[in-house]
Amino acid sequence: MAEISLQGVTKSFGKTEVIHTTDITINDGEFVVMVGPSGCGKSTILRMIAGLETSTTGEIRIAGKRVNEVEPKDRNIAMVFQNYALYPHMSVYDNMAYGLKIRKLAKDDIERRVQRAAKILELGQYLKRKPRELSGGQRQRVAMGRAIVREPAAFLFDEPLSNLDAKLRVQMRLEIQKLHRELRTTSVYVTHDQVEAMTLANRMIVINAGVVEQIGAPLEVYDNPASLFVAGFIGSPSMNFLPGLRSGDGVEVGEGLVVPLPPEIRGSAGEQVTVGVRPEHFVAGDGGGPRFKLRVDTVEALGADSLLHAGFNGSHLVVRIEGHSTPRAGSEFEVSVLPGKAYFFDTGTGKRLGA
Amino acid sequence: MVENRPVRDVLAHAVLITGVLLVAFPLWVTFVASTLTFEQIVTVPMPLWPGDHFLANYTQVLTAGSEKGSSAPVSTMLVNSLIMALSIATGKIAISILSAFAIVYFRFPGRSFFFWSVFVTLMLPVEVRIIPTFKVASDLGILNTHVGLALPLIASATATFLFRQFFMTIPDELAEAARIDGAGPVRFFIDVVLPLSKTHMAALFVILFIYGWNQYLWPLLITTSESMYTVVIGIKRMIAGGDASNEWHLIMATAMMALMPPALVVVLMQKWFVKGLVETEK
């Protein structure tokens, strides 16, 4: 168990800086998810914590001890890889025991730890098998077992579920949650899937192009996105954005429609402001907020709810409404924004206004 | 393909059977000749059915060699050939797997230069560098020794290249997982890379054993003492002069014995050989 902290960490490959100055503190026993689009640098940060990459500047501490110069094996961490990285020629048992053998643990101690991990992960009957005789989900469980037996200060997960099919991913997600509840080990989890981030995280770190955009509890990030990027990345389907101009007490978003600004962020006219509305924050008919007259392009009826796709003044809008009062494609439809559920961003900087 | 075309089937079989016969017939003649006496061989036409001198001929060459050509016993030659082929095959595999490991898993200055310089030597067959190699071997005083037979042929660009290609297909995460597990480079090599390379090593062993066994020019050059002849050279030395003075029955018996070990290696290791060429266990 340990706290992990990164202070002023950057990473450059040659002249390009891929991770800009980053400060992160991960508390003892916390499950933190780093989420961002592919190539944003989230894996690089994880690999710097693991010691597989060196940081260009800054300091990385695990359990209060500076580890910049420490070899991965001595950092007391365990890592789970996307492609499992199991030793193909070793049995499940040997895969889990290998690191312990190297650390010269007593035979009965190894046996005890492996059996315990196998029990937690329900791998007992597969201990003699080779990885190729297992399914993807079982392989990933072995990879987690290999991490558990080390009894490390922290688990590092690098997109562990990305190679699994959708159904298995849901199941493994639950298992990882359960595992963390049981073991309470500090965990850092990297994914590009915002659903995994929302469901697993105690806190999540949203990263874009090597910059930490926002750190916070999942719902906090969802409710109060700090920037256009975070707002668009978290939530599915993603938030609708309507570019507009500030005029008086509202934002003019086209077709004569003005979305009123809350009192605390009124300012000079003529500024470019982007209005963001989540698909689920629209209601059919008059809900009290600004009203949009839409011509429906496409309808995706999902049963419980329906997604309407429509164009509005050059932007593409997605509206989520209750599933059975669905208009037909091509028809006119009126929706309104729930009061107080519109977000306002500075179009130039992408920062949230009034936050 | 599941097709039912009798004419094509017959034709295909005819072609294949003709091919087999073309390959097998010379072998058969060699075998038959090795069981006849000298007089029977030089009659025209030569009999195509084995005679009754099988034991006599083979015992003669194994223990005493030929009478008119070289008089070294073939058993010594077989041992020499075996030592040479085994040292070349194992030596080549050992050296090339280590250099491929270095090239793939370590970042050191001049890494790609070294790889390419190894690679370029592919273009230099033994024959091209044989005179300087001979000079070096003679200066080292390893003419007429087993070391001299094998050592100059051990460096192998081909095997290094093959191992490099194979190592590059091993996912990087495996090396990283091993690093986190605490395995240093040597542990990683022994515990992970070597077991994964087993089938490739076996396939290469078959190829290199045959390569070593069949070496002709180099042993011809550096072995002058009969006790160092390899069996391939032995055959050459038995063919001493004009047609009439060659003991063809003994030469053929030697030839039969020369081709047995490589054939045996192929047959025994066939399963591994095919596996190594087609399948990678990752």
Side-chain angles (χ1 to χ4, degrees):
Chain A
M1 300 257 175
E3 180 186 285
I4 300 171
S5 80
L6 284 78
Q7 275 155 15
V9 171
T10 66
K11 173 74 185 173
S12 307
F13 289 111
K15 282 209 174 81
T16 29
E17 192 174 72
V18 291
I19 304 292
H20 306 293
T21 313
T22 300
D23 298 290
I24 298 173
T25 304
I26 295 156
N27 300 324
D28 186 16
E30 198 176 23
F31 197 110
V32 166
V33 177
M34 291 199 277
V35 64
S38 37
C40 71
K42 54 193 189 301
S43 287
T44 309
I45 295 178
L46 191 77
R47 293 167 58 83
M48 287 195 289
I49 298 173
L52 297 171
E53 303 270 4
T54 54
S55 65
T56 309
T57 62
E59 190 172 61
I60 299 170
R61 288 173 170 273
I62 297 176
K65 198 180 102 203
R66 179 184 157 97
V67 293
N68 288 41
E69 293 79 23
V70 177
E71 273 290 299
K73 66 182 164 74
D74 300 320
R75 290 191 181 197
N76 198 16
I77 44 99
M79 190 152 166
V80 177
F81 296 89
Q82 176 177 353
N83 62 5
Y84 327 124
L86 299 176
Y87 309 117
H89 57 290
M90 293 185 197
S91 69
V92 168
Y93 184 94
D94 289 335
N95 260 290
M96 292 202 263
Y98 183 61
L100 304 180
K101 281 180 191 158
I102 289 180
R103 290 200 287 167
K104 299 207 165 57
L105 261 66
K107 256 219 160 78
D108 52 331
D109 196 18
I110 296 180
E111 172 79 20
R112 188 180 51 76
R113 288 193 189 197
V114 172
Q115 291 298 350
R116 177 168 161 267
K119 202 174 151 222
I120 295 174
L121 296 163
E122 291 161 23
L123 284 169
Q125 51 180 316
Y126 304 116
L127 286 176
K128 291 224 159 54
R129 295 217 193 155
K130 292 275 173 66
R132 77 176 114 81
E133 297 161 328
L134 301 177
S135 70
Q138 289 165 337
R139 285 183 210 185
Q140 196 51 280
R141 281 216 290 270
V142 177
M144 289 198 283
R146 190 168 62 180
I148 291 172
V149 293
R150 299 196 53 186
E151 297 174 4
F155 290 130
L156 308 178
F157 296 92
D158 190 2
E159 308 224 9
L161 307 185
S162 299
N163 278 10
L164 304 178
D165 63 49
K167 201 176 155 200
L168 213 51
R169 216 176 293 168
V170 175
Q171 189 193 333
M172 291 298 289
R173 218 161 63 202
L174 296 174
E175 284 191 29
I176 291 177
Q177 266 182 315
K178 198 178 107 211
L179 195 68
H180 183 250
R181 262 203 313 278
E182 279 172 28
L183 301 175
R184 286 275 154 221
T185 308
T186 312
S187 304
V188 187
Y189 185 108
V190 160
T191 180
H192 62 262
D193 180 353
Q194 55 102 11
V195 178
E196 277 174 31
M198 292 295 289
T199 50
L200 286 170
N202 295 141
R203 276 196 307 157
M204 64 191 208
I205 302 174
V206 186
I207 299 170
N208 183 33
V211 174
V212 172
E213 295 259 341
Q214 191 171 3
I215 302 179
L219 283 178
E220 188 187 308
V221 174
Y222 175 87
D223 288 336
N224 291 301
S227 65
L228 269 176
F229 173 79
V230 177
F233 194 77
I234 302 298
S236 171
S238 45
M239 190 185 276
N240 299 296
F241 294 122
L242 299 160
L245 282 180
R246 194 193 292 240
S247 72
D249 293 344
V251 181
E252 151 99 62
V253 292
E255 299 184 16
L257 190 69
V258 173
V259 183
L261 279 163
E264 66 271 18
I265 46 176
R266 283 175 192 160
S268 55
E271 263 183 299
Q272 297 211 314
V273 172
T274 300
V275 177
V277 183
R278 293 201 181 276
E280 54 270 38
H281 291 156
F282 285 105
V283 285
D286 187 357
R291 281 196 264 174
F292 289 79
K293 269 205 170 56
L294 303 173
R295 181 173 291 281
V296 179
D297 288 336
T298 328
V299 177
E300 292 179 288
L302 304 173
D305 45 25
S306 297
L307 300 178
L308 310 182
H309 296 260
F312 180 84
N313 192 30
S315 307
H316 175 90
L317 284 190
V318 183
V319 174
R320 169 178 271 162
I321 57 162
E322 194 273 323
H324 288 92
S325 57
T326 306
R328 281 205 318 275
S331 61
E332 291 269 334
F333 194 67
E334 196 179 58
V335 293
S336 55
V337 181
L338 287 171
K341 290 295 187 188
Y343 299 88
F344 302 93
F345 303 92
D346 183 320
T347 308
T349 64
K351 290 275 172 267
R352 172 108 176 267
L353 294 174
Chain B
M1 256 196 296
V2 184
E3 272 185 275
N4 193 10
R5 295 203 186 151
V7 180
R8 272 175 62 168
D9 276 1
V10 170
L11 198 69
H13 277 87
V15 169
L16 291 175
I17 290 167
T18 317
V20 169
L21 286 179
L22 279 175
V23 174
F25 185 67
L27 279 176
W28 177 248
V29 171
T30 307
F31 173 69
V32 170
S34 72
T35 62
L36 301 174
T37 63
F38 180 69
E39 289 70 29
Q40 283 170 308
I41 290 179
V42 293
T43 53
V44 182
M46 191 192 108
L48 283 177
W49 212 245
D52 52 5
H53 276 68
F54 178 83
L55 267 183
N57 289 347
Y58 280 77
T59 324
Q60 154 112 43
V61 288
L62 274 178
T63 52
S66 65
E67 278 150 19
K68 293 178 188 162
S70 119
S71 63
V74 172
S75 50
T76 318
M77 298 180 193
L78 284 172
V79 171
N80 287 340
S81 278
L82 195 70
I83 292 175
M84 178 181 176
L86 282 178
S87 341
I88 289 178
T90 50
K92 264 179 191 280
I93 288 174
I95 285 188
S96 55
I97 201 169
L98 282 170
S99 43
F101 184 67
I103 285 170
V104 174
Y105 286 100
F106 292 86
R107 256 170 224 112
F108 52 90
R111 176 165 80 141
S112 59
F113 167 78
F114 284 111
F115 170 69
W116 284 106
S117 53
V118 169
F119 196 59
V120 160
T121 61
L122 266 180
M123 290 186 282
L124 299 173
V126 175
E127 290 75 9
V128 175
R129 54 186 166 89
I130 203 156
I131 302 299
T133 311
F134 182 83
K135 169 78 171 112
V136 171
S138 122
D139 288 351
L140 288 175
I142 52 174
L143 299 181
N144 271 321
T145 62
H146 289 131
V147 178
L149 276 173
L151 191 65
L153 300 176
I154 276 181
S156 172
T158 325
T160 308
F161 185 69
L162 286 175
F163 278 125
R164 172 183 175 262
Q165 294 309 94
F166 168 62
F167 290 167
M168 304 228 293
T169 67
I170 297 179
D172 291 342
E173 283 85 354
L174 217 54
E176 290 172 351
R179 248 183 100 188
I180 290 177
D181 267 341
V186 177
R187 280 302 286 261
F188 177 62
F189 180 72
I190 294 170
D191 288 347
V192 179
V193 172
L194 273 187
L196 288 180
S197 311
K198 265 193 309 202
T199 50
H200 288 255
M201 284 160 71
L204 268 174
F205 180 84
V206 173
I207 297 171
L208 295 176
F209 182 87
I210 294 169
Y211 165 87
W213 184 272
N214 288 341
Q215 278 305 313
Y216 175 68
L217 196 56
W218 179 247
L220 184 67
L221 214 59
I222 80 150
T223 55
T224 45
S225 114
E226 288 190 340
S227 65
M228 275 297 143
Y229 283 176
T230 64
V231 69
V232 178
I233 300 308
I235 298 173
K236 154 81 183 88
R237 297 286 189 208
M238 284 181 187
I239 306 174
D243 227 4
S245 61
N246 292 333
E247 297 151 301
W248 287 115
H249 54 302
L250 300 182
I251 295 171
M252 290 304 161
T254 313
M256 278 314 286
M257 282 190 289
L259 68 83
M260 278 335 265
L264 219 61
V265 166
V266 171
V267 169
L268 291 180
M269 297 190 66
Q270 191 191 28
K271 204 180 101 196
W272 282 82
F273 181 63
V274 175
K275 242 186 168 179
L277 292 184
V278 299
E279 177 195 288
T280 47
E281 185 193 305
K282 275 187 291 292

